[in-house]
Amino acid sequence: MNVNQSAPPVPPFGQPQPVYAGYHQSNYGGQPGSTAPPTPYGAYNGPVPGYQQTLAPGVSRAPPSSGAPPASRAQAPCGQATYGQFGQGDVQNGPSSTVQMQRIPGSQPFGSAALAPVVSQPTVFPPFGPLPSSAQVTAQLAGMQISGAVAPAPPTSGLGYGPPTSLPSASGSFPNSGLYGSYSQGQAPPLSQTQGHPGAQPPQRSALPQASSYTPPASGGPRMPSMTGPLLPGQGFGGPPVSQPNHVSSPPPQVLPPGTQMTGPPGAPPPMHSSQQPGYQLQQNGSFGPARSPQPNYGSPYPGAPTFGSQPGPPQPLPPKRLDPDAIPSPIQVIEDDRNSRGSEPFVTGVRGQVPPLVTTSFLVKDQGNASPRYIRCTSYNIPCTSDMAKQAQVPLAAVIKPLARLPPEEASLYVVDHGESGPLRCNRCKAYMCPFMQFIEGGRRFQCCFCSCINDVPPQYFQHLDHTGKRVDAYDRPELSLGSYEFLATVDYCKNNKFPSPPAFIFMIDVSYNAIRSGLVRLLCEELKSLLDFLPREGRAEESAIRVGFVTYNKVLHFYNVKSSLAQPQMMVVSDVADMFVPLLDGFLVNVNESRAVITSLLDQIPEMFADTRETETVFAPVIQAGMEALKAAECAGKLFLFHTSLPIAEAPGKLKNRDDRKLINTDKEKTLFQPQTGAYQTLAKECVAQGCCVDLFLFPNQYVDVATLSVVPQLTGGSVYKYACFQVENDQERFLSDLRRDVQKVVGFDAVMRVRTSTGIRAVDFFGAFYMSNTTDVELAGLDGDKTVTVEFKHDDRLNEESGALLQCALLYTSCAGQRRLRIHNLALNCCTQLADLYRNCETDTLINYMAKFAYRGVLNSPVKTVRDTLITQCAQILACYRKNCASPSSAGQLILPECMKLLPVYLNCVLKSDVLQPGAEVTTDDRAYVRQLVTSMDVAETNVFFYPRLLPLTKSPIESTTEPPAVRASEERLSNGDIYLLENGLNLFLWVGASVQQGVVQSLFSVSSFSQITSGLSVLPVLDNPLSKKVRGLIDNLRAQRSRYMKLIVVKQEDKLEMLFKHFLVEDKSLSGGASYVDFLCHMHKEIRQLLS
Ligand SMILES: [Zn+2]
């Protein structure tokens, strides 16, 4: 980041401007009287009365002349929210944060649907979400004439989309992969549900247009980005002539690529429908589907399912047709096309509402007034003018914001602007920061706020003349007038207690119980820390890091260490009263690494020896965090705790936990409890941590259930990270752990941060997702925020938007840098607004939509049955696509599935979310795994969710060995695997090398240094270092993939037909999954049916 390295190109400007001093108030940590403990910390805006004496004179709290008045809040008495300064007053206030955390998009409570009785269903056709109970679906289905690759199933009374009813109990053993155990094959059939859930059907989702009175654009439909890629020969086109080549095609069904494995997942019936009719036919604009008359028998793929086949009678045979996977939208093709069309030129941000290249495309960004997509990505860059339109389309309006995103070396780091003692120039009313969208008027003496329209005086020292276009003549000399992203130096008004912060501290807190010692963890960690401490984050070119360090070890009691530089040896102080934690020493606990190096080294040498013979197996957990937080408090600084923990904290102490894992709860109404913390103690503790600016990173090394859902509460609410190394063994997991640790310790972190998103009149931020805490409805409080973490913000209309002025977002992040400097980072983004739905659909970003929908669903499981969450996603997706079909697509046969070009991957990606471990766990996925993944996804950026849900599968021997570029990926399906080839699969967390059984002997020799396939060790995690081109290339590629991800991916070598292959197949997400997840083809068919039902 190194923002301070950039010399501001601006002259020093800004003398004191008392009028504009902002952020004065306080109560950062919460509203006294609410659940949040009172803190000495200033609120982000608007002073708490207790701190009013710190207010600069002239702070304006006048209510806006238009829009919702903030006055009532700004004037709130002590103990109430006083954030009026910080925004648009009440306009910004959504539901209370507690409610928000559980809110469902579209305001439909998940919980309103009762869970229907579940029955097991031995078959395969994926059952799906709720349908209107009155719907007579059979006739509507009839036109579809496509079936998935499924056998006719025996009649069942339900839809087999749910997880298995009777899951085999967890094996309890974690493979060394850190993944899940091997998949058992005799898995129970998927659960199903006998009825749709009318209650889950959001009321407003039925508010589709009553008639298709919408006139499509004159062009006959939305303009679509041109697609490259030849059509396959022989494919039929249904519908209007194709005006642009489209990558999808509909060749004869059952065409499989050479080398395709015909073995499906165990238990899955082979495709058995020969093709007699053309299937999905290609249509313009990414439309798919046969233009045929309805066939009454389509209901049969869902035999007996009341919501799908409402006609009485025995199940009918399937239509003799299988949808060809090559005929449906391919993620690989879309990614390739975007790379080819957009990867070569920089993305220039000067134009409002531009859709950036996909996250999978490598491109440079030129900031010309809007924030780079590295900082902000939106679900749509053209948002409907009215809430009615937005409700009709059901496209969530959300921004995924990564305020401290790292930039590639080719892109300039952010300028730091210093407006002097008065602090950054802001709008008097809404407190938005000076930005390129502010309008200077009256010869430059005043400016009109682009967010709230308030007219403000320009302070004399900021005055500048305007040119003939009304632009300030110094606009290009000032980052805040010409760039989308920049930083301001914050004044003391923006600091806790009106005092500039001290540099932050890192505290390493090491579990030294039996398991931690025995696995070799403690020795490994202490050895690593000796060198790692030289790489603490530092500001710019600073000689050494300003961060101080401290050390604690613990089992049932805590040991603090005095490592003061003047000591010859470290001193240990034991605190055994864990119920009332205190810090036994102040002086000598937090030290400068260089000054105390000898003592620290001595300590790190001694720790493994001191506890080498320990028999203590019990640990405490909450008191450890409490101790770290108290130490930071005593030192009056923010900081980060690095906790290395091995077991369920069962020792008698606050935060003591019991083993409450119960897989029988899966797919019941109580499943949500598996994701909820088992005690509220950790939330309370987290609030204290946030108030102190104490961020917690947790490294877990469990041998069994440790209740990740509870242990991760504090990291989650303090902006921290959780890492999990199941069954940690030094020899197997050292590389992964050390790589993660090094990255985690070195990464740039903003401490004690508050983020606020302001919007122009008409929309407002109503909901937030990520690792943070909120004590009111607008301020996102982050004890720590690193460059990997995102905050996702959802917007809703509160007024009509204007096509001409568009919509503006301004994200302001107040934080303390790693050197202790208080700064504001500002990101601005202007979006277009539309009165035609087609414009919305033309400017969407499916990857961001999926990111949002996954986070939304993963939060939903905290409060609702997982089945309900899945159904809600399916319904929303169908609504989105039905609205497009009804309002934007050119008229065509009802039998055709027509997808908006920008959203043609929505079904395949959504299906991946639906069948993910959180929403549809396989038998071997542990409760801890699910909780772990759930909280990981919450903070992921768009690129991470993209590859996490749809893994990359790279063939290694297909491209010439000399080729230095990454091989083009293939679709994540078993059908795409050739048994004569080798593939890498990665999803950001996992990395597999799959070896086909017929791979050439030379290849085997070159890569593994063995003479035959049978001699390759299954489960191998390191490739031998061999001096040949293939070995170098593959190892280089693996290094490359790892470098692209924020966590180290441990390699697992999987041989075809080997037992481990089941684990690998879990990631072939286009196929039907063992846990009952639908194949892509099946899901697309189902989605089509849902859409048709909505349209009828
Ligand atoms: Zn304003």
Side-chain angles (χ1 to χ4, degrees):
M1 193 170 74
N2 293 335
V3 282
N4 61 324
Q5 283 185 352
S6 342
V10 291
F13 36 74
Q15 270 90 58
Q17 304 167 25
V19 175
Y20 294 100
Y23 268 93
H24 312 263
Q25 56 358 26
S26 304
N27 208 357
Y28 203 46
Q31 308 162 17
S34 74
T35 49
T39 77
Y41 208 170
Y44 199 19
N45 275 303
V48 161
Y51 292 89
Q52 271 178 350
Q53 70 276 15
T54 68
L55 268 181
V59 169
S60 166
R61 293 177 180 282
S65 55
S66 66
S72 61
R73 290 183 66 78
Q75 312 284 337
C78 185
Q80 309 226 342
T82 49
Y83 292 85
Q85 259 198 72
F86 198 25
Q88 300 160 7
D90 290 343
V91 179
Q92 287 279 12
N93 296 325
S96 78
S97 56
T98 341
V99 174
Q100 274 187 21
M101 296 301 283
Q102 306 168 0
R103 206 186 53 77
I104 302 314
S107 305
Q108 292 97 27
F110 267 133
S112 59
L115 187 71
V118 290
V119 291
S120 74
Q121 171 178 298
T123 189
V124 274
F125 207 92
F128 301 95
L131 294 168
S133 54
S134 62
Q136 296 298 308
V137 292
T138 309
Q140 299 152 21
L141 283 173
M144 209 159 110
Q145 300 178 352
I146 326 153
S147 73
V150 294
T156 71
S157 54
L159 318 170
Y161 198 57
T165 31
S166 58
L167 291 161
S169 60
S171 65
S173 70
F174 294 69
N176 286 337
S177 65
L179 280 165
Y180 317 129
S182 57
Y183 282 71
S184 74
Q185 311 221 354
Q187 185 163 320
L191 254 199
S192 54
Q193 185 162 355
T194 53
Q195 292 292 337
H197 294 292
Q201 191 90 351
Q204 70 217 58
R205 288 182 182 172
S206 58
L208 280 175
Q210 295 305 305
S212 37
S213 54
Y214 172 79
T215 309
S219 63
R223 284 170 285 117
M224 297 301 171
S226 75
M227 301 294 298
T228 57
L231 294 167
L232 295 187
Q235 63 193 71
F237 293 116
V242 177
S243 58
Q244 291 180 335
N246 193 306
H247 73 277
V248 281
S249 58
S250 59
Q254 293 279 15
V255 173
L256 299 173
T260 296
Q261 308 289 308
M262 291 300 293
T263 59
M272 51 186 302
H273 313 295
S274 65
S275 91
Q276 312 219 330
Q277 296 182 351
Y280 275 99
Q281 291 187 345
L282 186 60
Q283 207 220 27
Q284 191 178 15
N285 301 341
S287 58
F288 315 91
R292 277 169 282 121
S293 58
Q295 293 194 348
N297 287 342
Y298 188 71
S300 56
Y302 309 90
T307 47
F308 288 102
S310 57
Q311 290 189 343
Q316 304 290 318
L318 286 174
K321 164 70 182 74
R322 185 194 166 198
L323 180 60
D324 179 5
D326 281 331
I328 56 180
S330 157
I332 305 304
Q333 191 65 48
V334 170
I335 288 169
E336 279 300 305
D337 290 345
D338 193 73
R339 279 183 183 154
N340 293 335
S341 62
R342 307 200 63 181
S344 50
E345 290 185 4
F347 179 69
V348 180
T349 71
V351 179
R352 184 176 86 188
Q354 282 185 105
V355 181
L358 296 181
V359 286
T360 41
T361 297
S362 165
F363 59 99
L364 288 181
V365 181
K366 280 193 178 145
D367 185 342
Q368 290 194 356
N370 284 290
S372 159
R374 301 190 206 289
Y375 297 120
I376 306 180
R377 280 189 177 262
C378 296
T379 52
S380 178
Y381 295 83
N382 197 330
I383 61 183
C385 277
T386 66
S387 63
D388 283 351
M389 270 176 79
K391 279 177 193 158
Q392 194 181 343
Q394 285 289 319
V395 177
L397 303 176
V400 179
I401 307 177
K402 201 178 186 183
L404 297 180
R406 281 182 309 277
L407 300 177
E410 302 88 345
E411 291 178 18
S413 47
L414 298 192
Y415 292 109
V416 181
V417 178
D418 185 356
H419 278 185
E421 285 175 24
S422 59
L425 184 50
R426 307 173 71 174
C427 169
N428 276 334
R429 183 201 292 159
C430 74
K431 300 295 165 190
Y433 295 85
M434 182 49 69
C435 73
F437 309 121
M438 297 286 188
Q439 281 291 325
F440 287 86
I441 54 175
E442 296 180 23
R445 282 174 286 119
R446 307 178 99 185
F447 71 92
Q448 181 165 28
C449 176
C450 51
F451 295 94
C452 73
S453 303
C454 175
I455 296 191
N456 298 269
D457 290 334
V458 173
Q461 69 278 9
Y462 200 74
F463 175 81
Q464 186 52 266
H465 293 286
L466 309 183
D467 66 14
H468 66 284
T469 66
K471 208 175 172 92
R472 278 172 64 118
V473 298
D474 65 348
Y476 292 105
D477 298 328
R478 290 182 178 271
E480 77 275 21
L481 296 181
S482 55
L483 297 178
S485 300
Y486 43 87
E487 295 203 319
F488 287 114
L489 276 188
T491 59
V492 75
D493 293 326
Y494 295 78
C495 300
K496 199 186 284 188
N497 298 334
N498 275 353
K499 249 173 71 181
F500 281 112
S502 312
F506 283 179
I507 304 177
F508 298 90
M509 317 189 84
I510 306 166
D511 178 347
V512 289
S513 66
Y514 177 74
N515 281 335
I517 297 290
R518 191 193 53 174
S519 67
L521 167 67
V522 174
R523 187 171 298 278
L524 177 72
L525 174 59
C526 289
E527 195 57 39
E528 176 65 20
L529 284 180
K530 284 192 240 170
S531 50
L532 187 54
L533 293 178
D534 287 329
F535 297 94
L536 300 178
R538 64 190 77 186
E539 190 110 72
R541 298 190 183 86
E543 288 268 311
E544 64 172 30
S545 173
I547 291 172
R548 289 169 297 162
V549 298
F551 302 88
V552 171
T553 57
Y554 67 94
N555 39 48
K556 266 163 67 174
V557 299
L558 277 74
H559 324 106
F560 291 79
Y561 297 94
N562 185 340
V563 284
K564 200 173 174 179
S565 58
S566 55
L567 295 176
Q569 283 293 318
Q571 295 170 346
M572 179 203 270
M573 304 178 91
V574 180
V575 175
S576 50
D577 182 8
V578 290
D580 187 19
M581 186 46 60
F582 67 100
V583 181
L585 76 164
L586 292 180
D587 188 34
F589 179 65
L590 293 177
V591 297
N592 174 293
V593 173
N594 285 335
E595 287 169 11
S596 290
R597 180 173 302 277
V599 197
I600 291 173
T601 303
S602 170
L603 172 68
L604 293 171
D605 282 336
Q606 289 178 43
I607 287 175
E609 308 303 330
M610 277 190 286
F611 300 98
D613 300 321
T614 184
R615 290 278 157 239
E616 184 54 71
T617 56
E618 292 190 358
T619 56
V620 295
F621 187 73
V624 184
I625 295 176
Q626 181 89 33
M629 188 263 294
E630 296 287 349
L632 294 178
K633 192 185 279 180
E636 296 184 333
C637 67
K640 192 149 143 175
L641 313 183
F642 297 81
L643 251 75
F644 306 88
H645 189 82
T646 60
S647 58
L648 193 69
I650 55 170
E652 203 52 57
K656 172 185 173 178
L657 300 180
K658 58 180 189 291
N659 187 337
R660 46 93 188 231
D661 188 18
D662 185 359
R663 295 181 58 85
K664 289 199 288 298
L665 297 181
I666 291 175
N667 217 44
T668 71
D669 272 344
K670 288 188 177 154
E671 182 171 2
K672 60 189 178 207
T673 60
L674 297 176
F675 298 111
Q676 296 166 347
Q678 60 171 289
T679 157
Y682 288 95
Q683 272 129 324
T684 308
L685 181 57
K687 285 176 198 169
E688 291 181 52
C689 288
V690 171
Q692 183 53 44
C694 170
C695 172
V696 178
D697 280 358
L698 176 60
F699 293 78
L700 285 170
F701 307 85
N703 290 332
Q704 54 194 344
Y705 178 75
V706 290
D707 200 343
V708 171
T710 304
L711 296 188
S712 62
V713 164
V714 178
Q716 176 77 18
L717 291 177
T718 60
S721 305
V722 179
Y723 301 83
K724 184 158 88 62
Y725 310 88
C727 289
F728 179 84
Q729 289 295 325
V730 166
E731 53 272 28
N732 296 325
D733 305 297
Q734 156 173 356
E735 195 178 357
R736 178 167 159 239
F737 164 58
L738 292 182
S739 174
D740 287 343
L741 175 66
R742 287 168 191 153
R743 196 173 187 283
D744 194 69
V745 168
Q746 293 178 50
K747 67 186 171 190
V748 169
V749 185
F751 293 96
D752 213 356
V754 183
M755 188 182 113
R756 175 78 172 254
V757 178
R758 290 182 174 77
T759 49
S760 52
T761 311
I763 53 166
R764 63 193 168 102
V766 293
D767 202 358
F768 303 84
F769 302 78
F772 53 72
Y773 177 72
M774 291 183 79
S775 57
N776 60 44
T777 54
T778 50
D779 294 346
V780 176
E781 299 174 35
L782 300 127
L785 174 67
D786 63 52
D788 296 327
K789 299 227 165 40
T790 64
V791 176
T792 300
V793 184
E794 192 194 358
F795 302 95
K796 288 248 191 286
H797 287 76
D798 57 9
D799 203 348
R800 198 187 160 82
L801 292 165
N802 184 321
E803 262 184 306
E804 208 166 291
S805 48
L808 303 176
L809 315 178
Q810 182 178 77
C811 165
L813 178 81
L814 173 64
Y815 71 100
T816 301
S817 77
C818 58
Q821 192 175 56
R822 201 73 174 147
R823 293 205 194 130
L824 278 148
R825 178 171 286 211
I826 312 294
H827 297 298
N828 302 291
L829 186 64
L831 302 173
N832 284 329
C833 298
C834 59
T835 53
Q836 304 290 308
L837 282 167
D839 290 325
L840 165 69
Y841 284 96
R842 218 177 275 155
N843 292 283
C844 279
E845 190 172 64
T846 294
D847 293 333
T848 310
L849 262 177
I850 288 294
N851 180 285
Y852 167 83
M853 292 172 101
K855 288 170 179 173
F856 165 73
Y858 280 20
R859 187 174 67 187
V861 300
L862 285 172
N863 303 293
S864 305
V866 170
K867 167 87 170 77
T868 311
V869 173
R870 283 202 307 267
D871 291 348
T872 304
L873 283 185
I874 293 171
T875 306
Q876 184 169 21
C877 181
Q879 299 258 10
I880 291 170
L881 298 176
C883 176
Y884 173 80
R885 173 63 185 259
K886 182 164 190 174
N887 297 287
C888 310
S890 48
S892 56
S893 156
Q896 288 177 307
L897 172 60
I898 304 181
L899 302 172
E901 182 66 22
C902 287
M903 286 189 189
K904 64 185 177 187
L905 298 180
L906 190 60
V908 60
Y909 285 162
L910 184 74
N911 189 39
C912 296
V913 175
L914 291 169
K915 60 207 268 192
S916 62
D917 291 339
V918 171
L919 298 185
Q920 195 162 18
E924 302 304 320
V925 181
T926 67
T927 300
D928 274 347
D929 287 327
R930 297 177 77 197
Y932 177 64
V933 167
R934 198 192 73 78
Q935 67 85 28
L936 271 184
V937 166
T938 303
S939 298
M940 279 187 182
D941 69 15
V942 179
E944 285 174 317
T945 49
N946 176 267
V947 76
F948 177 73
F949 288 111
Y950 192 96
R952 267 205 295 180
L953 182 59
L954 306 170
L956 297 185
T957 52
K958 285 220 178 353
S959 52
I961 200 148
E962 315 79 54
S963 162
T964 52
T965 53
E966 210 165 82
V970 297
R971 294 167 66 170
S973 166
E974 190 167 8
E975 288 188 358
R976 310 289 163 170
L977 297 175
S978 153
N979 60 6
D981 207 348
I982 291 180
Y983 297 81
L984 271 177
L985 181 145
E986 66 113 355
N987 75 343
L989 295 178
N990 308 110
L991 179 64
F992 294 94
L993 185 73
W994 183 89
V995 188
S998 311
V999 167
Q1000 286 179 3
Q1001 198 191 329
V1003 170
V1004 171
Q1005 184 72 44
S1006 300
L1007 269 187
F1008 300 99
S1009 194
V1010 295
S1011 57
S1012 71
F1013 175 80
S1014 62
Q1015 290 177 291
I1016 300 171
T1017 311
S1018 173
L1020 196 69
S1021 63
V1022 181
L1023 292 181
V1025 178
L1026 303 173
D1027 187 17
N1028 67 67
L1030 183 64
S1031 176
K1032 285 179 186 167
K1033 179 177 169 178
V1034 172
R1035 285 181 290 113
L1037 183 58
I1038 290 172
D1039 289 345
N1040 249 336
L1041 294 178
R1042 284 177 175 154
Q1044 292 170 26
R1045 304 298 172 205
S1046 61
R1047 288 168 186 243
Y1048 184 86
M1049 297 183 288
K1050 181 177 167 184
L1051 181 71
I1052 301 176
V1053 173
V1054 172
K1055 293 163 70 178
Q1056 187 177 9
E1057 307 287 332
D1058 186 81
K1059 205 175 117 197
L1060 265 182
E1061 200 184 21
M1062 299 313 295
L1063 183 61
F1064 171 77
K1065 283 180 180 172
H1066 182 69
F1067 297 91
L1068 298 177
V1069 289
E1070 287 201 22
D1071 299 339
K1072 195 184 310 295
S1073 74
L1074 283 175
S1075 53
S1079 71
Y1080 175 19
V1081 168
D1082 292 349
F1083 184 71
L1084 194 61
C1085 292
H1086 175 71
M1087 194 47 70
H1088 187 192
K1089 190 175 56 58
E1090 294 269 315
I1091 293 166
R1092 296 189 53 173
Q1093 189 150 359
L1094 289 169
L1095 292 174
S1096 65

